[in-house]
């Protein structure tokens, strides 16, 4: 390959160009292009092997050392998402929309960790100490031995951490931090990247755990470069609908535990409270069986969670009928509509489709396909699905139903919550469940014919 003359690199996506521009052509981010000078001015052809480096000390993969003990906060939902507690010297990034409750969650976590004897420092770059103290009072945490600082200067924060040597530092938020050796405004990509890098390397070197709060952009990504996600060990997203009281903390990356694990919280006047049994909560305010409502037996991380899909189908005045989805993937909905039309002869042309997951939950499992199809048909045919039925299964493009993982756990949860019928793909591996009848179908057409007398 010819030697590249490019020396301008996008700090967001890593694309390199030969000239500066205000906007990166490859990822569309603004003001992310920075000139990167080569490390040495020497001839580029000189290979690294030419001059000897220092031999690195090697260790064995097999070791008798026991892993360092995790610190458990006592907030079970939070600890589970971390993979069973906070790992010393780990870096955690918590992302979420503004106002979703990140500061509340972390102040509560800080108080719990501090009460467990972990020296905890909470640095707020957004609120004054008095504000944080007032919130703590409202949450009933005023007596927790948490050290507070309201500061944005990274150099001062690092010096403080050096002197205080806490076991855990919480930085709220990484976008407000300002490194004086970087020549751009706080919140800019280079600042965020530099601040995250400094804090994470400090944490690793000093054996301190660090939790960074990150704001999320309109596109739902943590503002600033993706590289921040690579720098940390664990990435958690705090999500939920502002109008709903439920909040879900989801691990999207975890070097110390399973990803996709969730913790469920409820936002109350006294802060976030844990929800130990999310299924019961998500289904608690169900009305009488209405057309378009279907209960899906889902799995989130290691836990079964039952949620309700709600669907409304109405004649559309538009030439392009509306497809409105909340809590589920729009592309996946289009696929299911296409399969229903092509394989079962049920068209949705000329009909508006609204699909919701109740309670502000977000479902991403393909296992929900059959529940979505069931909700769609139930709404379209105006036939209510019996109240005591759960549905799960993946739909393939051919219209076949594919068995999904963890069938046993899904059925157990349904049985526990008093459901009497489960609709699942044929060949699903499951043992007998007293009181729960399993209806299985090999194809979507068979299911449609049986349930709705069409197809
Ligand atoms: P906050 O933690 O400040 O959100 P973030 O840090 O993610 O921006 O939470 C703000 C919202 O939470 C605010 O709209 C009020 C609500 N809230 C409660 O409902 N109860 C409470 O006890 C607290 C502290 C906040
Ligand atoms: Mg906040």
């Amino acid at each position: 390959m010819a030697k590249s003359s490019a020396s301008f690199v996008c700090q967001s996506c890593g694309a390199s160009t030969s000239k500066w521009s205000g906007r990166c052509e490859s990822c569309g981010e603004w003001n992310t292009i920075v000139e990167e000078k080569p490390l040495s001015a020497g001839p580029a052809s000189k290979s690294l092997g030419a001059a000897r480096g220092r031999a690195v000390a090697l260790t064995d993969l097999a070791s008798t050392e026991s892993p360092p003990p995790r610190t458990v906060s006592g907030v079970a939902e939070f600890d589970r998402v971390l993979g069973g507690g906070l790992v010393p010297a780990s870096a955690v990034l918590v992302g979420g929309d503004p106002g979703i409750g990140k500061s509340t969650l972390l102040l509560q976590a800080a108080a719990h960790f501090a009460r467990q004897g972990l020296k905890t420092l909470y640095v707020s770059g957004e609120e004054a100490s008095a504000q944080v103290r007032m919130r703590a009072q409202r949450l009933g945490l005023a007596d927790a031995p948490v050290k507070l600082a309201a500061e944005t200067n990274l150099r001062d924060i690092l010096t403080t951490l050096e002197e205080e040597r806490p076991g855990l530092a919480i930085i709220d938020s990484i976008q407000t931090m300002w490194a004086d050796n970087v020549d751009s405004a706080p919140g800019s990509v280079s600042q965020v990247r530099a601040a995250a890098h400094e804090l994470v390397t400090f944490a690793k070197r000093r054996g301190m755990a660090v939790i960074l709060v990150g704001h999320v952009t309109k596109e739902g990504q943590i503002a600033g470069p993706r590289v921040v996600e690579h720098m940390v060990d664990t990435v958690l997203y705090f999500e939920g609908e502002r109008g709903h009281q439920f909040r879900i903390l989801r691990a999207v990356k975890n070097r110390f535990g399973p990803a996709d694990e969730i913790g469920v919280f409820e936002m109350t006047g006294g802060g976030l409270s844990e929800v130990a049994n999310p299924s019961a909560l998500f289904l608690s305010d169900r009305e009488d069986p209405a057309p378009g409502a279907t209960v899906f037996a889902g799995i989130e991380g290691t836990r079964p969670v039952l949620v309700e899909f709600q669907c409304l189908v109405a004649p559309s005045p538009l030439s392009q009928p509306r497809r409105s989805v909340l809590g589920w993937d729009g592309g996946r909905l289009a696929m299911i509509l296409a399969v229903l039309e092509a394989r079962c002869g049920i068209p949705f042309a000329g009909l508006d489709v609204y699909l919701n997951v109740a309670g502000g939950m977000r479902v991403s499992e393909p296992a929900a396909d059959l529940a979505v199809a069931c909700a769609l048909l139930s709404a379209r045919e105006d036939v209510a699905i019996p109240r005591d039925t759960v549905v799960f299964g993946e739909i393939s493009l051919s219209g076949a139903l594919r068995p999904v993982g963890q069938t046993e756990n899904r059925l157990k949860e349904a049985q526990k919550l008093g459901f009497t019928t489960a609709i699942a793909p044929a060949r699903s591996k499951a043992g007998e469940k007293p009181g729960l009848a399993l209806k299985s179908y090999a194809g979507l057409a068979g299911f449609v014919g049986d349930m709705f007398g069409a197809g």
Side-chain angles (χ1 to χ4, degrees), residues 295-368:
V295 177
F296 164 55
I299 299 280
E300 293 290 343
T302 52
R303 260 197 315 185
V305 178
L306 304 193
V307 287
E308 187 180 65
F309 275 93
Q310 298 170 343
C311 183
L312 176 70
V313 171
S316 179
L318 308 167
S319 60
Q320 273 274 7
R322 204 180 258 275
R323 304 283 183 246
S324 162
V325 198
L326 220 64
W328 169 254
D329 179 41
R332 199 90 197 164
L333 172 68
M335 183 209 102
I336 292 168
L337 291 172
V339 174
L340 280 171
E341 173 145 14
R343 308 295 175 194
C344 310
I346 302 171
F348 281 80
L351 296 170
D352 283 338
V353 173
Y354 300 88
L355 184 76
N356 267 2
V357 180
M361 177 76 179
R362 198 166 53 89
V363 178
S364 54
E365 273 189 290

Side-chain angles (χ1 to χ4, degrees), residues 26 97 138 142 160 221 236 256 264 278 282 294 338 394 398 425 450:
S26 106
D97 289 328
R138 203 145 58 78
T160 312
Q221 289 175 359
L236 311 178
F256 304 117
V264 184
F282 285 128
T294 301
E394 185 178 342
S398 64
D450 202 30

Side-chain angles (χ1 to χ4, degrees), residues 96-105 126-127 135 138-139 172 213 215 238 242 247 267-272:
D97 289 328
I100 203 73
K102 300 181 295 296
S103 301
T104 309
L105 175 76
E126 302 188 340
E127 291 161 301
R135 179 189 306 222
R138 203 145 58 78
L139 300 173
D172 187 3
V213 173
H215 289 295
F238 203 39
R242 204 81 68 83
R247 296 285 183 271
M267 184 59 105
T268 66
L272 292 155

Side-chain angles (χ1 to χ4, degrees), residues 85-442:
L86 187 68
V87 176
S90 66
V92 180
L93 180 65
V94 178
D97 289 328
I100 203 73
K102 300 181 295 296
S103 301
T104 309
L105 175 76
L106 290 174
L107 189 60
Q108 287 183 271
H112 279 90
F113 279 122
R115 282 178 180 159
Q116 301 290 329
L118 187 69
K119 187 170 178 188
T120 305
L121 211 148
Y122 184 99
V123 182
S124 177
E126 302 188 340
E127 291 161 301
S129 295
Q131 259 175 307
V132 179
R133 226 174 282 128
M134 226 157 65
R135 179 189 306 222
Q137 232 146 37
R138 203 145 58 78
L139 300 173
L141 303 170
D143 60 335
V146 178
K147 289 264 173 250
L148 282 186
E151 184 54 66
T152 56
N153 185 316
L154 191 62
R155 195 182 290 274
D156 294 349
I157 291 169
L158 289 173
T159 307
T160 312
L161 293 176
E162 188 83 56
E163 277 172 18
E164 292 285 326
R165 293 296 177 91
L168 166 66
I170 295 175
I171 309 292
D172 187 3
S173 64
I174 189 69
Q175 277 89 8
T176 54
M177 293 298 125
W178 178 66
D180 55 18
N181 58 341
V182 177
D183 198 13
S184 58
S188 69
V189 171
S190 352
Q191 279 286 356
V192 169
R193 184 159 100 147
H197 180 75
E198 291 283 347
L199 286 161
V200 172
T201 35
F202 181 90
K204 300 276 166 200
R205 206 172 57 231
R206 294 283 179 232
M208 169 192 87
V210 63
I211 302 182
L212 309 175
V213 173
H215 289 295
V216 159
T217 59
K218 282 195 278 320
E219 293 78 38
Q221 289 175 359
I222 290 177
R226 262 346 257 288
V227 284
V228 175
E229 293 196 10
H230 298 299
M231 278 182 219
V232 297
D233 302 304
T234 304
V235 179
L236 311 178
Y237 274 91
F238 203 39
E239 45 187 50
E241 294 298 322
R242 204 81 68 83
H244 285 288
Q245 73 272 38
F246 308 129
R247 296 285 183 271
I248 290 155
L249 185 67
R250 187 185 296 271
V252 296
K253 162 182 168 179
N254 196 350
R255 288 188 185 143
F256 304 117
D260 267 337
E261 193 66 85
I262 64 164
V264 184
F265 298 87
E266 193 175 358
M267 184 59 105
T268 66
L272 292 155
S273 62
E274 297 179 69
V275 176
N277 187 348
S279 304
L281 190 78
F282 285 128
L283 300 178
S284 61
D285 50 354
R286 289 182 74 208
E287 295 137 23
D288 283 334
T294 301
V295 177
F296 164 55
I299 299 280
E300 293 290 343
T302 52
R303 260 197 315 185
V305 178
L306 304 193
V307 287
E308 187 180 65
F309 275 93
Q310 298 170 343
C311 183
L312 176 70
V313 171
S316 179
L318 308 167
S319 60
Q320 273 274 7
R322 204 180 258 275
R323 304 283 183 246
S324 162
V325 198
L326 220 64
W328 169 254
D329 179 41
R332 199 90 197 164
L333 172 68
M335 183 209 102
I336 292 168
L337 291 172
V339 174
L340 280 171
E341 173 145 14
R343 308 295 175 194
C344 310
I346 302 171
F348 281 80
L351 296 170
D352 283 338
V353 173
Y354 300 88
L355 184 76
N356 267 2
V357 180
M361 177 76 179
R362 198 166 53 89
V363 178
S364 54
E365 273 189 290
D369 288 354
L370 190 57
V372 170
C374 188
L376 285 167
L377 290 164
S378 162
R380 187 183 186 278
E381 307 295 320
D382 205 24
V383 176
I385 304 296
R387 222 189 135 76
D388 53 4
T389 302
V390 296
V391 181
F392 60 90
E394 185 178 342
I395 299 174
S396 72
L397 286 178
S398 64
L401 297 185
R402 276 200 219 128
V404 294
Q406 307 213 38
T407 300
E408 193 66 29
N409 281 342
R410 297 175 202 267
L411 294 177
K412 262 194 212 142
E413 180 79 357
Q415 184 192 29
K416 198 172 90 191
L417 288 164
F419 286 82
T420 58
T421 309
I423 296 177
R427 295 180 286 116
S428 291
K429 288 194 196 72
E432 276 294 306
K433 299 271 167 310
L436 182 73
L438 187 65
K439 278 207 224 170
S440 53
Y441 300 93

